[in-house]
Amino acid sequence: MTAAATMHDGRWRVIALTPVTAIFLAMSVLPVLNLMAMSVHDIGWSGGRSVWTSAGAVHYQRLAEDTLLHAGIWNTLVFSVVAVAIQIVLGFFLAWAVSRIDRGRVLYRTIFILPILVPGILIGAIWKLMLNFDFGLANAILEVFGAEPRDWLGTRALALPSVILVDIWHWTPFCFLLLLAGFESMPQDVLEAARVDGAGIWGELRHVLVPMMMPVIVVTFLFRFVSSLKVFDEIYLLTGGGPGSATEVVSYTIYRTFFTQDRMGYGSAMSIAVLFGITLAIALTLGASRRHGARP
Amino acid sequence: MNIDTKRRDLLAGGAMAGAVAGMAWTPRAGAQTPKAAPFTIVINNSPWFDGFRKTVEDYEKETGNKVNLDVNPFGGSLEKQRASVRAKDGMFDLLIMNGLYYQEMYHGGFLTPINDIDPKFRLDPQMIAYDNTVFWDEATKTHDPKGKLMSVPVNGNIPLLLYRADLYEQNKLQVPKTWDELLANAKKLHNPPRMYGIVQRGARGAPNDVSYDWWPYLYSFNGSLFRDEAKGDFTVTINSKEAKAALDFYIRMAKEAGHPQTGGLAQAQIIQNMVTGRAAHALLVIAAWSQMDDPTKSAVVGKVNAACVPGSATGKPAPVLGHWLGGIPKNVPKPRQEAALTFLAWFQSRNAQMNYLKAGSPPVRQDVLSDQELWKDPKNRWMPAMAESSQYVRLMWSVPEGAQIGDILELRLNQAVIGELTSDKALNMIADETHTIMQRAGYKTGRIAPL
């Protein structure tokens, strides 16, 4: 290719990408800039109009003193790490098992992905009823075995694990699907070579499957981890952040600050801080995965 | 009637607007209701909504006027109302505002004073003014009855003590007048898990559960959030000895005669326990009454009765307002404002209120509520308690910062109920956090010595 053709090609790329870039900027960067502007103001209402008063960095300073936000950050991290780790492990073994069977694979795949097809509002209603202290299925089963009923959503020790359980039920199929695609695209000759070399089922798993699946596992983990940091619907529907602050998560704290308390300035500062935190978490995860040789 | 839970037709009022713009009309109760433009009411889907919906249907049949209902969960209704009134052109023509958040609509200047729409309109003298919350004096920021009329009551939701009358009769119990008497009765009937002596809304609510349930205790123990709101003294007094006594009693009630998981119970679970016959007492908003006698929902039809909430040995009963007011925004076209007011004028008539009662919602007219002929109907056996309660009703707060304060209350009170914080610590934390909010908002505020 000549130099002139390369330059022409480069210009064409710039021209072609400009509209998309402009739309991207309008749809994502401008709202963030607006959020940043709001985060350094107190916004009130008088005479039917908004009144913006400069607040400097006060809202950011308050983040450090906000114990509810701190509880939310901690719970979100616990929720994300535990739920996603279990989902990846379960999804991996389910996908592995399904990839090894020849008959009925489509049927199993269909059954396993059912939970992600159920709308969040229904999941909330179903699990809230099942975990109800007085009338729920979970306590009815305990009663059959002579055990005391538990308040799954109303006690500090059980509320967060219960919400994590619901999230695992809901999102393991997502991990399963991505990992199954990984198993199905795996070169069979490597597996056959391992078997010829005498690798048993666990040897095959440990020395062949896991290393080869690592890029898919990392991508799956990233997708799920980032989306789990934004968990909202399960908390909103099942516990409302309670009891106390046991299931408070960051997105719910921001929601209440913004919409219930109507503190738009402080809510914006929270949002910016969380956005920064999530970006940092993604960068660290990607860096770590690259250091370990997995390239998503 | 079009019930739209997702969106409304922005142009709904516009088409009719021109046709009716020039029509002179005077909305008066009992008078012929004039033709009006279609308009939209934004409303919450609370237990009393069904009665309101039927009454709106009556209005449409009687007048031929068209009403759209935009129905939402409690929190969703507030969010939609905020979005609408803050926009250049409002979507909703009549806001059904709760007693816990209407203040921000008054303070923010979002509503049109009713008499700016029609100078001749008068609130019917029989309409209950609910601690004068329908009036607003812009200069003093108080509910001075000499101020402007800003809204019309739509629902008089207040808590009543619901109790199992059949068990009272079997056990020869007297209806309690004080919290001590209620505790004694509850303990007598407490037989968990088959029967809880009392079920309380101890959950951290979104937006309000435990604070709304506890407030009648607070007031009747002579506690308060602020020293004297009406006089502009916002010194935070929530961590007084009186408030501590009220909170300790509330927790004691839960421990000695309550549900084992009081900290996880919201209004829906309270109603569930009552209608399934697993609770002997509950403080429930009157809007929930219709479910007690609904054979499709209740196992205790005809067995529940209502009384005014108890008082303390030293203080009067204090049912707190969780009422609903209808206000008309500034940023909607005049024909739609007039249409909304036409409806409110019709709604405050005695006939409409009688229909409202028949449809299962508590009326907001004193002459209907106190009509002893109506009391004779067993279906209306809650009415004497409601009429008695009306003389004691009190507002939780009048400041627009109520939403922030409410969030703090819900968290800290719930932590006290579940034993995560002592009552002293919970109340001191509420006081500190409330004081910070009030100080930042520029109120004359202060603190009392911590507990």
Side-chain angles (χ1 to χ4, degrees):
Chain A
M1 189 181 283
T2 64
T6 307
M7 191 178 283
H8 179 266
D9 195 32
R11 277 185 195 154
W12 172 244
R13 274 188 201 161
V14 170
I15 292 166
L17 284 172
T18 299
V20 180
T21 310
I23 291 170
F24 171 76
L25 286 174
M27 300 294 284
S28 58
V29 177
L30 284 181
V32 173
L33 290 177
N34 185 47
L35 207 61
M36 288 170 89
M38 285 165 74
S39 73
V40 290
H41 286 90
D42 278 319
I43 301 162
W45 296 86
S46 181
R49 290 161 187 261
S50 65
V51 181
W52 290 47
T53 315
S54 178
V58 166
H59 293 146
Y60 289 98
Q61 286 163 4
R62 282 182 197 152
L63 294 176
E65 306 156 10
D66 191 333
T67 53
L68 193 60
L69 177 67
H70 300 168
I73 291 170
W74 174 250
N75 288 337
T76 306
L77 288 175
V78 171
F79 174 89
S80 296
V81 171
V82 175
V84 175
I86 296 173
Q87 285 162 16
I88 295 277
V89 172
L90 285 177
F92 183 89
F93 282 106
L94 282 174
W96 184 39
V98 170
S99 72
R100 290 172 68 88
I101 58 171
D102 296 324
R103 293 186 64 190
R105 188 183 291 193
V106 174
L107 177 69
Y108 282 114
R109 196 167 54 193
T110 309
I111 291 170
F112 288 148
I113 66 167
L114 278 179
I116 42 174
L117 303 177
V118 182
I121 187 79
L122 272 184
I123 287 172
I126 291 167
W127 281 92
K128 193 153 189 165
L129 282 173
M130 291 213 303
L131 299 176
N132 184 294
F133 178 81
D134 293 298
F135 313 101
L137 180 67
N139 280 345
I141 293 169
L142 285 183
E143 208 175 334
V144 169
F145 294 101
E148 286 290 308
R150 301 272 186 277
D151 191 3
W152 303 97
L153 300 172
T155 48
R156 191 166 187 85
L158 289 175
L160 190 58
S162 299
V163 177
I164 289 174
L165 177 76
V166 175
D167 194 73
I168 290 168
W169 178 84
H170 190 187
W171 287 110
T172 296
F174 176 82
C175 301
F176 161 77
L177 268 185
L178 261 62
L179 293 164
L180 182 64
F183 277 114
E184 287 179 342
S185 61
M186 191 173 280
Q188 292 303 306
D189 51 344
V190 180
L191 289 175
E192 281 162 16
R195 283 170 202 151
V196 168
D197 288 346
I201 192 164
W202 292 111
E204 181 185 313
L205 179 71
R206 190 177 162 197
H207 298 295
V208 181
L209 287 175
V210 171
M212 287 186 72
M213 284 289 288
M214 195 48 79
V216 184
I217 292 171
V218 170
V219 168
T220 309
F221 179 83
L222 268 182
F223 277 175
R224 271 304 301 140
F225 189 71
V226 171
S227 62
S228 73
L229 289 174
K230 297 185 286 185
V231 60
F232 177 80
D233 47 358
E234 284 148 4
I235 299 294
Y236 180 77
L237 293 162
L238 292 171
T239 62
S245 56
T247 59
E248 185 78 21
V249 289
V250 166
S251 52
Y252 193 67
T253 314
I254 293 174
Y255 164 75
R256 286 187 79 128
T257 306
F258 244 111
F259 295 105
T260 310
Q261 299 182 13
D262 202 24
R263 296 164 71 194
M264 285 182 277
Y266 186 54
S268 302
M270 274 185 185
S271 306
I272 294 288
V274 169
L275 200 63
F276 178 75
I278 291 178
T279 310
L280 194 67
I282 293 170
L284 289 175
T285 314
L286 282 174
S289 67
R290 285 199 178 112
R291 273 198 300 279
H292 288 88
R295 289 185 177 277
Chain B
M1 178 177 53
N2 171 31
I3 299 181
D4 184 358
T5 56
K6 291 179 182 169
R7 64 177 189 86
R8 72 167 298 258
D9 182 358
L10 273 166
L11 304 173
M16 284 291 286
V20 296
M23 290 172 68
W25 59 279
T26 309
R28 282 179 289 112
Q32 184 69 39
T33 303
K35 288 284 170 209
F39 75 102
T40 299
I41 302 174
V42 58
I43 192 168
N44 55 296
N45 193 5
S46 287
W48 57 272
F49 170 70
D50 209 38
F52 185 81
R53 180 183 56 77
K54 287 175 191 161
T55 308
V56 169
E57 283 169 1
D58 288 345
Y59 172 74
E60 288 186 319
K61 269 186 217 155
E62 197 177 302
T63 64
N65 292 335
K66 173 114 180 81
V67 181
N68 298 309
L69 289 173
D70 192 286
V71 188
N72 308 275
F74 188 102
S77 186
L78 171 58
E79 285 163 29
K80 279 194 174 179
Q81 290 182 27
R82 278 179 180 155
S84 178
V85 298
R86 291 171 184 181
K88 186 168 173 284
D89 299 309
M91 292 173 72
F92 306 115
D93 312 310
L94 181 57
L95 313 178
I96 307 300
M97 308 171 293
N98 184 258
L100 299 175
Y101 68 72
Y102 73 89
Q103 298 90 340
E104 68 176 68
M105 299 296 173
Y106 287 14
H107 278 260
F110 296 117
L111 300 183
T112 304
I114 299 286
N115 291 117
D116 286 4
I117 304 168
D118 176 19
K120 292 178 191 161
F121 182 91
R122 294 290 174 268
L123 190 70
D124 192 292
Q126 288 297 330
M127 290 290 273
I128 303 166
Y130 296 101
D131 217 3
N132 292 322
T133 49
V134 292
F135 300 106
W136 181 242
D137 185 326
E138 180 62 34
T140 59
K141 308 278 185 202
T142 58
H143 295 300
D144 187 336
K146 290 176 190 158
K148 290 182 174 174
L149 179 68
M150 299 301 290
S151 58
V152 172
V154 170
N155 186 278
N157 225 14
I158 57 167
L160 295 180
L161 173 68
L162 301 196
Y163 63 95
R164 283 285 298 276
D166 57 327
L167 301 179
Y168 265 56
E169 203 175 309
Q170 283 167 28
N171 292 277
K172 299 187 172 31
L173 297 175
Q174 294 295 313
V175 177
K177 293 283 179 198
T178 65
W179 297 112
D180 284 314
E181 290 170 12
L182 173 60
L183 176 60
N185 288 358
K187 280 164 85 170
K188 188 149 194 173
L189 300 174
H190 192 50
N191 181 25
R194 296 170 66 87
M195 175 64 69
Y196 303 117
I198 185 165
V199 282
Q200 296 156 278
R201 282 171 75 173
R204 178 187 168 199
N208 291 86
D209 273 304
V210 62
S211 56
Y212 189 73
D213 204 46
W214 175 64
W215 224 253
Y217 292 74
L218 174 72
Y219 277 155
S220 68
F221 275 80
N222 301 311
S224 61
L225 178 61
F226 300 117
R227 185 170 283 154
D228 195 344
E229 263 187 275
K231 290 184 180 161
D233 182 352
F234 291 94
T235 302
V236 180
T237 53
I238 194 76
N239 56 338
S240 65
K241 285 177 187 161
E242 291 82 5
K244 177 179 160 47
L247 185 53
D248 285 342
F249 196 92
Y250 185 82
I251 294 168
R252 187 180 155 206
M253 186 86 88
K255 281 184 179 161
E256 294 182 11
H259 192 285
Q261 305 301 337
T262 296
L265 299 182
Q267 180 172 257
Q269 287 86 49
I270 301 299
I271 295 173
Q272 202 174 45
N273 273 281
M274 281 301 291
V275 296
T276 52
R278 293 180 80 153
H281 301 91
L283 259 61
L284 265 175
V285 287
I286 186 56
W289 174 265
S290 59
Q291 299 187 44
M292 301 298 137
D293 275 357
D294 181 345
T296 64
K297 293 178 182 168
S298 174
V300 290
V301 174
K303 294 178 179 175
V304 177
N305 210 338
C308 180
V309 298
S312 76
T314 54
K316 286 181 202 166
V320 287
L321 287 168
H323 63 317
W324 297 85
L325 302 169
I328 301 172
K330 274 183 180 166
N331 63 346
V332 294
K334 183 91 187 229
R336 278 163 41 195
Q337 289 182 332
E338 289 172 349
L341 188 55
T342 303
F343 169 75
L344 290 175
W346 175 89
F347 184 77
Q348 68 170 353
S349 68
R350 185 178 162 85
N351 277 349
Q353 288 294 305
M354 291 291 283
N355 288 341
Y356 196 34
L357 172 66
K358 278 181 202 156
S361 285
V364 285
R365 272 183 75 105
Q366 192 64 48
D367 57 348
V368 177
L369 208 52
S370 305
D371 187 334
Q372 301 208 2
E373 279 303 307
L374 294 169
W375 292 8
K376 289 175 186 168
D377 185 341
K379 279 190 299 189
N380 297 332
R381 59 190 184 281
W382 53 271
M383 288 181 74
M386 185 80 175
E388 185 193 350
S389 299
S390 296
Q391 62 184 306
Y392 299 121
V393 289
R394 290 177 67 181
L395 192 62
M396 287 176 80
W397 48 69
S398 65
V399 291
E401 289 75 15
Q404 283 182 61
I405 297 168
D407 242 22
I408 291 167
L409 284 163
E410 289 297 308
L411 174 64
R412 302 303 176 201
L413 291 173
N414 177 251
Q415 286 179 307
V417 169
I418 64 175
E420 203 170 286
L421 294 176
T422 62
S423 58
D424 295 32
K425 195 163 182 193
L427 293 171
N428 283 337
M429 288 174 88
I430 294 169
D432 280 352
E433 289 161 359
T434 304
H435 176 254
T436 304
I437 290 170
M438 300 306 283
Q439 199 173 38
R440 282 178 188 155
Y443 288 89
K444 182 189 158 195
T445 184
R447 273 183 285 200
I448 59 172
L451 285 163

